[in-house]
Amino acid sequence: MPELPEVETVRCDVQKIFAGCRLKQLVVTGRRTVRRHPAGDLACLHGRTLQEARRHGKFLLLGWDQAPTLVVHLRMSGQLLALPAGTKPAPHTHAVFKFARARELHFVDPRTFGELFLETGQLSHLGPDALGITNAQMAAALAGRRASVKAVLVDQRAMAGIGNIYADEICFRARVKPDRPAGGLGPEEVRRLTRAVRAVLRAAIAARGSSLRDQRYRDVLGNLGGYQLEHKVYGRAGLACPDCGALVQRGRFGAKSAFFCPHCQT
DNA sequence: ACAAATACCTGTAAGC
DNA sequence: TGCTTACAGGTATTTG
C-alpha cells in the first residue's frame, strides 16, 4: 500500500517524465475520485504546465505555472501510470491527464479510496514529513502519549508518511515493541526510533518501494518495487527473524495487525 | 483532549 | 466446484 517511499518513487517518476509538459486536458470519469469537488471543477487545470511534483507524507502535490496545486492521494490501491496517448484506459481508471507530446498519465484505483483535489489548506494538520524527522520532533511526538509507539508512528498529525508496513519495520530496526506506550520510551529508545525512521524510509526509497503479494503498487512505468524482499517482520508471522531466528509474531493493533520479533524487540 | 472504533471500498484468499 | 466470509489498510468521522 503506498506509504512515503512509494509516493516518493512516484513523485520522482512524475517529475522526470512530466515536468515542463502542458496539460491539454484532464478527463475525469470517476466521480468518487474527485468527491471534494463539483463536476468540472478541475477543468481550471487545462492548458497549465506542470512545474514541479512535490510530496508531504503520503500526499503527492502537483504544482503548475499557476495556483492552485493539485493534490493526489493513492490511498490503498491507487496507481499513476505513464502511457502513450490514446491508450485504452484499463478497468478502474478514474482520471486521465492528457499532456502535450503524446503522453498520458492514468489514475487507476480499484478500491476508489484515492482522490484528486485542489489544495486549499486541507493538509495543514499534517506533522513534519517523516523522511526528515529530527530527534527533537520525534521526542515531542511521543512525549506524554499513552497510545502505542506504532499508533504514534502512523499518526499523520505526529509525523507524515508512515503506514502499517513501515511502522513495523521501523519498530523492528529500533528494537522496540510496537505496543509499548509511546510516552514510556527512554531517550536512547527515542533516538533509535528516529534513526530507524530515516534509515528504513531511505532504504525503501532506494529499493523503489514495497510491492506486496497483490502487486498493486507499481511505479509510474508499471514496474514493481523491491523493498518487500528486505522486509524483516512485516507479513512474516511464523517465519524466523532474520537477526535471531526466533519466530516472528503477529499481534493486533486495533483493527490492524502488527508484526514483531518477540526476542529482538523489547 | 485524547484514544479507540468505524465507515468507506473491492480484489483476493481461505474456509466450508 | 461454487459459494460465503474474512481480510487488507489510509483517512475522515464518530464514539467513548
Side-chain angles (χ1 to χ4, degrees), chain A residues 178-215:
Chain A
D179 63 348
R180 289 269 303 280
L185 295 192
E188 176 52 32
E189 292 173 315
V190 174
R191 271 192 294 277
R192 292 211 306 266
L193 263 185
T194 304
R195 284 196 286 262
V197 167
R198 301 170 69 126
V200 168
L201 295 180
R202 288 162 78 101
I205 291 167
R208 300 187 61 77
S210 300
S211 294
L212 302 184
R213 197 170 37 190
D214 67 2
Q215 306 199 335

Side-chain angles (χ1 to χ4, degrees), chain A residues 67-137:
Chain A
T69 293
L70 180 69
V71 181
V72 181
H73 201 301
L74 303 173
R75 284 297 238 294
M76 311 303 305
S77 61
Q79 300 175 325
L80 283 173
L81 297 172
L83 296 165
T87 301
K88 185 175 190 240
H92 310 296
T93 300
H94 305 306
V96 176
F97 298 76
K98 300 194 173 206
F99 285 94
R101 298 185 228 164
R103 285 278 213 175
E104 293 182 355
L105 185 62
H106 288 217
F107 182 80
V108 184
D109 182 19
R111 291 165 71 176
T112 72
F113 281 18
E115 54 179 325
L116 310 178
F117 59 90
L118 297 173
E119 204 275 325
T120 52
Q122 302 94 329
L123 308 186
S124 58
H125 68 286
L126 291 177
D129 190 77
L131 191 55
I133 194 88
T134 65
N135 194 58
Q137 288 170 329

Side-chain angles (χ1 to χ4, degrees), chain A residues 12 39 66-67 86 177 186 202 208 216-218 224 234 260:
Chain A
C12 288
Q66 289 176 56
K177 274 211 171 77
R202 288 162 78 101
R208 300 187 61 77
R216 177 50 58 183
Y217 165 69
R218 289 170 184 269
L224 299 173
Y234 179 81
F260 63 97

Side-chain angles (χ1 to χ4, degrees), chain A residues 159-175:
Chain A
M159 63 198 81
I162 299 169
N164 208 37
I165 297 167
Y166 292 103
D168 284 357
E169 293 298 315
I170 287 163
C171 286
F172 176 80
R173 189 175 180 108
R175 309 234 174 271

Side-chain angles (χ1 to χ4, degrees), chain A residues 150 164 167-173 175-180 232-242 244 246-253 257-266:
Chain A
K150 179 165 179 179
N164 208 37
D168 284 357
E169 293 298 315
I170 287 163
C171 286
F172 176 80
R173 189 175 180 108
R175 309 234 174 271
V176 171
K177 274 211 171 77
D179 63 348
R180 289 269 303 280
K232 297 197 169 187
V233 287
Y234 179 81
R236 293 178 39 84
L239 300 176
C241 165
C244 78
L247 298 188
V248 173
Q249 288 186 7
R250 175 186 199 151
R252 271 283 150 188
F253 163 68
S257 53
F259 298 92
F260 63 97
C261 172
H263 179 254
C264 292
Q265 293 170 260
T266 53

